[in-house]
Amino acid sequence: MLTGLSRSERPAGWSRAGATAIGKNYNSVTLTMQGAESLAERYSRLAQETPDRRRVDFELRALDLLLSSVFLVVALPLAIPIGLALVVTSGRPVFYRGERVGRGGRVFTMTKFRTLRPGAEARLGHHLGSALVEATEAEVTRVGRWLRATQLDEIPQFWNVLKGDMSLVGPRPIRPRFFEELAAELPAYWQRLVVRPGLTGFAQVRRGYETSMAEKLSHDLEWIADRSLRLYLRTLGATAWQVVRQLLHV
């Protein structure tokens, strides 16, 4: 297991009240502080310096490319009517696009089918954890509720996997502002930057959305430390079974 930073190792002059600046380059998650290197920049640097180019990472990437290509082709007959249903029932846009923190601190644009009312992102932006789950419920559209129940809103993320922004299995991608807050609260949170975020992961298979961020992190760190082809395939299998059960009960 990788070792996280303790609170005593935080750079001198760091302030939780600092402002946030999000860029578009590789090291793009930034906390403003009184010093040469911000806390999040340090997390990003440590993640990139961690020896993580193991053979299994190349094997997992090869599977990502193969399986996401297959899933996109298989899902195309579903994606077209879903897009039409969204336009008819709640207008445009069809897709939700949001910034997320990826491997090494790189910020990328994640794409999903839109499940919330237009403009919901601005209204929900200040929520986190269970408060976010509760506030989101009031914003979900009728079609969006069905998409969330069946997880079909995730179909466009196969494109993120193909591009290399994500993996099929890994920690769920998080918004830059939330990464900043959680990195300050949970000393080991930077370790999520060692791998690509995933379309599914241990925390999603084992626990629900209401699980605390600390508990989710423990499952994410288990994946990062023990990731293998066997665990990758088992997680995909468990996720597929969850989707099938949800489809049968909708």
Side-chain angles (χ1 to χ4, degrees), residues 149-210:
T150 58
Q151 298 185 36
L152 293 178
D153 60 317
E154 311 280 359
I155 289 175
Q157 287 183 56
F158 291 128
W159 178 244
N160 286 116
V161 175
L162 272 180
K163 291 195 302 179
D165 297 328
M166 297 175 59
S167 173
L168 290 178
V169 179
R172 283 297 291 164
I174 191 167
R175 298 173 188 175
R177 188 175 73 83
F178 291 163
F179 174 85
E180 172 191 321
E181 296 176 7
L182 291 167
E185 295 296 329
L186 302 171
Y189 206 77
W190 72 270
Q191 294 180 21
R192 296 171 98 254
L193 301 181
V194 171
V195 298
R196 291 181 177 88
L199 194 150
T200 186
F202 277 11
Q204 287 66 46
V205 169
R206 295 171 174 176
R207 301 294 181 186
Y209 287 106
E210 295 80 7

Side-chain angles (χ1 to χ4, degrees), residues 74-205:
V74 171
L76 187 60
L78 278 174
I80 294 174
I82 287 173
L84 291 173
L86 288 171
V87 171
V88 170
T89 58
S90 59
R92 297 183 178 182
V94 171
F95 299 108
Y96 161 78
R97 294 181 174 89
E99 289 188 331
R100 297 293 186 270
V101 179
R103 185 179 183 182
R106 176 177 173 268
V107 172
F108 68 95
T109 301
M110 185 190 74
T111 305
K112 301 172 63 173
F113 281 121
R114 180 175 58 83
T115 61
L116 306 180
R117 293 183 297 166
E121 181 80 359
R123 294 187 292 272
L124 297 173
H126 61 286
H127 293 291
L128 181 62
S130 59
L132 176 61
V133 174
E134 183 178 347
T136 299
E137 281 299 309
E139 299 283 354
V140 179
T141 65
R142 184 172 58 181
V143 174
R145 195 171 301 280
W146 178 77
L147 290 174
R148 283 170 168 255
T150 58
Q151 298 185 36
L152 293 178
D153 60 317
E154 311 280 359
I155 289 175
Q157 287 183 56
F158 291 128
W159 178 244
N160 286 116
V161 175
L162 272 180
K163 291 195 302 179
D165 297 328
M166 297 175 59
S167 173
L168 290 178
V169 179
R172 283 297 291 164
I174 191 167
R175 298 173 188 175
R177 188 175 73 83
F178 291 163
F179 174 85
E180 172 191 321
E181 296 176 7
L182 291 167
E185 295 296 329
L186 302 171
Y189 206 77
W190 72 270
Q191 294 180 21
R192 296 171 98 254
L193 301 181
V194 171
V195 298
R196 291 181 177 88
L199 194 150
T200 186
F202 277 11
Q204 287 66 46
V205 169

Side-chain angles (χ1 to χ4, degrees), residues 12 56 61 70-71 104 113 119 124-125 142 199 203 230:
V56 68
R61 180 60 188 151
V70 172
F71 291 154
F113 281 121
L124 297 173
R142 184 172 58 181
L199 194 150
R230 181 178 62 85

